[in-house]
Amino acid sequence: NEIESVDMIDALPSTYKKNGTSMDNLKKGTFRVEGYGTCELFLNPNRAKYLVIVLPKETVILSDRTDEETIQLYHELTE
């Protein structure tokens, strides 16, 4: 009910870690994201699909285990 918008993007913009974990297969925490400002990230940067979820007080960018699961989650959230 708090979601303001959900978008799917095909490429992760440039990120700068403010607080959290940034490894080859995991970005989790607070990051500065080009074009989005400060966001919470929960994703595998090696994926091709990401969800951008705008909430009243924050923006979250995430991916699921597979691109197919991310696409399915997008459909569930936008129905």
Side-chain angles (χ1 to χ4, degrees), residues 2 4 6 10 19 24 26 33 40-41 47 50 54 72:
E2 296 181 12
E4 293 180 358
V6 178
D10 297 327
N19 183 17
D24 290 340
L26 175 68
V33 181
E40 293 297 316
L41 269 56
R47 297 285 172 242
Y50 305 95
V54 178
Q72 178 62 35

Side-chain angles (χ1 to χ4, degrees), residues 6-7 13 17 22-23 25 27 33 38 47 51 58 63-65 68 70 73 76 78:
V6 178
D7 291 311
K17 180 179 76 166
S22 181
M23 299 185 298
N25 64 346
K27 289 187 184 285
V33 181
T38 300
R47 297 285 172 242
L51 298 185
E58 67 182 340
S63 67
D64 213 325
R65 290 178 291 164
E68 292 77 18
T70 300
L73 180 58
E76 290 173 12
T78 57

Side-chain angles (χ1 to χ4, degrees), residues 1-24:
N1 293 337
E2 296 181 12
I3 295 175
E4 293 180 358
S5 68
V6 178
D7 291 311
M8 188 165 14
I9 57 175
D10 297 327
L12 185 63
S14 297
T15 63
Y16 174 80
K17 180 179 76 166
K18 294 177 81 176
N19 183 17
T21 300
S22 181
M23 299 185 298
D24 290 340

